[in-house]
Amino acid sequence: MKSTISVLKADIGSLAGHHMVHPDTIAVATKVLSEGKKQGIINDFYPTFVGDDMEFIISHNRGELDQKVHELVWNALKEAANKAKELGLYAAGQDLLSDSFSGNLKGMGPGIAEMEIEERPSEPFVVFMADKTEPGAFNLPLYKMFADPFNTAGLVIDPALHDGFKFEVLDVYEGESIALNTPEESYDLLALIGTPDRYIVRRIYRKQDNMLAAVVTTERLNLIAGKYVGKDDPAMIVRVQHGLPALGETLEAFTVPYLVAGWMRGSHYGPLMPVSQKDARATRFDGPPRLVGLGFNLKNGRLVGPSDLFDDPAFDEVRRNANIIADYMRRHGPFMPHRLEPQVMEYTTLPKVMERLKGRFTKEEGSKKAKASIYTSTESNE
Ligand code: 13P
Ligand code: 13P
Ligand code: MG
Ligand code: MG
Ligand code: MG
C-alpha cells in the first residue's frame, strides 16, 4: 500500500510579535487532528513549530492534495487561529488567506509539501522547516545534497546515486516548470536556481528509477495575496539512505550559514541558522532566519521519531559563524545588499513610502526617462 507524508504549515498568529507559536494554539490544533486520527482520516501526526509557523507532519494513505486530509488541517488551523485571536496573539490568522475551504489547501495560504511513496523496508526521512525566509532558500542545500559530490560522497561512491538526480524547478512568476538532470545539466540548473526568488526547486527524483526523493513547499503568499503578508517560510521532506543521500549528507548541506532572503519584515538577507526545537524562536531582528530538522522513520504508515537533528554540538560552530555573519550584515542597516533588491521590495510597504516622494522630484534638464521603473519586476511600466 502506498503511504503519503504531508507537511502542511501556516502562521496563524504568534506570541509577542512574529516570534513563536503559542502552545495553547498547538493544543487546540492537536485536538482536531487527534479526532481526525480517530476517524481514520490520517494514520499519525506530529505537531510542531518553527518561529511563528505552525507545522504538521502527517502520515496517511489518501494521496497528495486529498480533500479530507486538507480539510482536517484547515479546520485545525482555523481553530488555532481562533485561539490566537482569543489570546490576542499577533497577526492572528496571518497565513489563512481565504475564508472558506474548497477542495484543497492550494492557493489558500498554508504551505504544502506532500509525497506519496511506496514505503521502503526502512523509510528514513527528514523534515526541514525554516522561519523568516522563502522556499527558494532550499535551492542551495538541495543542490548540495543531490548534485554536489563535495557534499554528498554517495554521488561518487554509491552506484545507486551515481547516475544522478532530476530536479523539477518552478518559475513562480511565469507559473511554469522545467525538469533538469544532474550531473549533465548542472550548469543549466544552477543558471536558474541561483535566482531563488523566482526559480524554486520543487521536487527531486532519482534518475535511474524516477523515485521521488524530495518535495518543497512552493506557495508564494505575496503572489497569492498581491501584497506583503509575511514570508512564505518553507518546509521540505527529504528521504534519506539506501540509494539516496545519507542522513548526514543532507545535514552537511547546512554547515555554511548561507544568506537567504527574509529576516526582518521579509526584506533582508541574513544567514540561515540551523537550531534545535528549543531555539526555534525568532528573536534578533526577527531572526536570524532559522532552520529545524526532524528525523523520522515511516513504518506501516506510522511516524517513528523524531530526532531533533540540529540539537547537537556538531552544529555549534555553524551557529557561531551565523552570528558573526548576522552582525556583519546588520551593520549595513537599510542599505543593500542587506536590504533586498527593489523588485522584491515591491511586495513590501516600501512602495508606499516611495509614493509619498513622487511629487518631490524635479526634472533634470535634457535627461531621458529610463524604460522601466525599478519597482517593476515582471512587466515594463512605460
Ligand atoms: P552504516 O554502515 O552504519 O549503515 O552506515 C552507512 C552510511 O551510509 C554512513 O553514511
Ligand atoms: P513571518 O512571515 O514569519 O510572519 O515574518 C513576518 C515579518 O515581517 C517578520 O519581521
Ligand atoms: Mg508571522
Ligand atoms: Mg514565519
Ligand atoms: Mg510567514
Side-chain angles (χ1 to χ4, degrees):
M1 188 169 38
K2 287 201 164 181
S3 299
T4 309
I5 307 168
S6 296
V7 176
L8 302 165
K9 52 133 324 231
D11 180 338
I12 53 88
S14 51
L15 180 65
H18 297 279
H19 166 57
M20 67 173 284
V21 172
H22 192 288
D24 291 2
T25 62
I26 296 204
V28 298
T30 298
K31 227 169 146 186
V32 176
L33 292 181
S34 298
E35 195 49 46
K37 186 174 165 178
K38 247 187 241 158
Q39 289 169 11
I41 299 170
I42 58 176
N43 296 334
D44 214 351
F45 69 100
Y46 183 79
T48 187
F49 70 92
V50 179
D52 58 4
D53 289 275
M54 187 177 277
E55 320 248 355
F56 305 122
I57 298 146
I58 297 171
S59 65
H60 58 95
N61 299 105
R62 303 184 59 88
E64 296 167 21
L65 294 176
D66 178 75
Q67 173 158 1
K68 278 202 160 160
V69 173
H70 282 216
E71 192 164 22
L72 178 69
V73 169
W74 179 253
N75 291 338
L77 292 170
K78 275 288 196 197
E79 294 277 322
N82 289 339
K83 185 54 142 183
K85 275 176 204 144
E86 193 187 306
L87 295 172
L89 298 183
Y90 192 66
Q94 180 179 285
D95 288 355
L96 308 183
L97 302 180
S98 178
D99 285 332
S100 55
F101 180 82
S102 57
N104 63 53
L105 290 173
K106 252 189 145 158
M108 299 188 74
I112 305 163
E114 295 184 295
M115 48 163 75
E116 187 177 36
I117 55 170
E118 204 64 68
E119 219 180 86
R120 297 172 289 170
S122 175
E123 185 58 67
F125 68 95
V126 184
V127 179
F128 291 101
M129 297 162 282
D131 184 36
K132 302 299 180 275
T133 187
E134 60 188 19
F138 288 146
N139 285 2
L140 185 152
L142 283 170
Y143 183 84
K144 284 175 124 182
M145 289 174 206
F146 290 95
D148 179 5
F150 280 77
N151 181 88
T152 297
L155 292 167
V156 178
I157 293 171
D158 184 346
L161 280 80
H162 200 85
D163 287 345
F165 290 87
K166 181 174 81 184
F167 286 67
E168 191 182 290
V169 177
L170 175 69
D171 176 342
V172 283
Y173 287 112
E174 291 297 328
E176 54 192 30
S177 64
I178 181 172
L180 292 166
N181 290 324
T182 57
E184 62 273 30
E185 294 179 301
S186 302
Y187 298 165
D188 296 306
L189 176 64
L190 289 169
L192 297 179
I193 67 173
T195 307
D197 158 56
R198 173 163 187 168
Y199 299 100
I200 301 172
V201 177
R202 176 167 64 180
R203 279 171 183 258
I204 299 175
Y205 300 87
R206 187 165 64 185
K207 228 163 55 194
Q208 64 173 20
D209 56 1
N210 229 28
M211 181 181 159
L212 181 56
V215 181
V216 183
T217 58
T218 51
E219 284 59 41
R220 295 302 306 266
L221 293 165
N222 304 339
L223 301 181
I224 297 170
K227 60 170 196 226
Y228 181 68
V229 283
K231 244 1 193 193
D232 324 298
D233 314 287
M236 66 174 170
I237 309 167
V238 181
R239 296 168 86 185
V240 298
Q241 301 293 151
H242 199 73
L244 294 174
L247 170 67
E249 287 167 339
T250 67
L251 301 178
E252 185 66 16
F254 295 103
T255 48
V256 175
Y258 61 100
L259 296 173
V260 298
W263 208 350
M264 176 56 73
R265 297 171 190 273
S267 306
H268 296 82
Y269 287 107
L272 186 65
M273 185 190 257
V275 294
S276 66
Q277 287 249 262
K278 97 177 146 34
D279 291 325
R281 298 171 300 126
T283 56
R284 182 183 181 183
F285 204 52
D286 282 1
R290 283 171 206 230
L291 175 76
V292 166
L294 298 182
F296 291 90
N297 273 90
L298 187 68
K299 189 63 189 171
N300 298 328
R302 306 271 157 191
L303 297 170
V304 180
S307 169
D308 188 358
L309 297 165
F310 295 120
D311 183 11
D312 179 358
F315 283 89
D316 283 352
E317 208 57 12
V318 182
R319 291 187 271 266
R320 200 177 71 86
N321 281 326
N323 278 322
I324 292 168
I325 295 165
D327 275 338
Y328 172 74
M329 293 304 285
R330 279 302 302 128
R331 279 175 202 166
H332 293 78
F335 283 79
M336 293 169 62
H338 181 26
R339 203 211 68 197
L340 302 187
E341 51 277 44
Q343 308 90 281
V344 188
M345 294 302 291
E346 190 177 16
Y347 289 101
T348 70
T349 42
L350 185 61
K352 284 190 187 143
V353 175
M354 302 300 277
E355 194 65 32
R356 289 190 190 187
L357 298 176
K358 232 177 171 176
R360 305 268 306 272
F361 288 94
T362 38
K363 195 76 200 148
E364 286 290 299
E365 201 71 40
S367 74
K368 274 201 206 147
K369 192 169 159 45
K371 215 171 160 208
S373 152
I374 57 162
Y375 277 95
T376 304
S377 53
T378 48
E379 312 153 78
S380 85
N381 129 27
E382 284 165 285

